[in-house]
Amino acid sequence: MNVTGTIEKKGFGPGTWALVSADKTYELKDAPSDLKKEGLKVSVEGEVRDDVMTFAMIGPVLQVSSFKVID
């Protein structure tokens, strides 16, 4: 699946990186360090993981395969 949105750091515990799209917020799993930049506009390729639970519970968990920065 491909999701376009903005990267945000949510303040739960040690912090959780999220991708906020127009209609949904995804918690990022296995996000590379280059993706972990507040306010970055990106297109992320990945898979929603229904078998993963997290403490933050801010939305579906999106396991990142690749990403592209959008200007």
Side-chain angles (χ1 to χ4, degrees):
M1 105 181 272
N2 196 345
V3 181
T4 301
T6 305
I7 300 297
E8 292 184 8
K9 183 156 187 185
K10 302 294 187 179
F12 298 99
T16 299
W17 288 99
L19 175 61
V20 180
S21 72
D23 61 342
K24 196 175 276 190
T25 297
Y26 296 88
E27 185 172 344
L28 297 177
K29 177 171 174 37
D30 300 333
S33 58
D34 289 346
L35 183 59
K36 297 176 181 177
K37 295 179 183 170
E38 183 83 29
L40 194 64
K41 295 189 184 320
V42 293
S43 176
V44 174
E45 179 75 26
E47 175 186 355
V48 172
R49 297 284 305 270
D50 294 326
D51 62 330
V52 176
M53 290 184 63
T54 68
F55 287 110
M57 297 188 297
I58 57 173
V61 176
L62 180 63
Q63 183 161 2
V64 178
S65 299
S66 64
F67 74 96
K68 177 172 61 172
V69 176
I70 299 172
D71 292 329

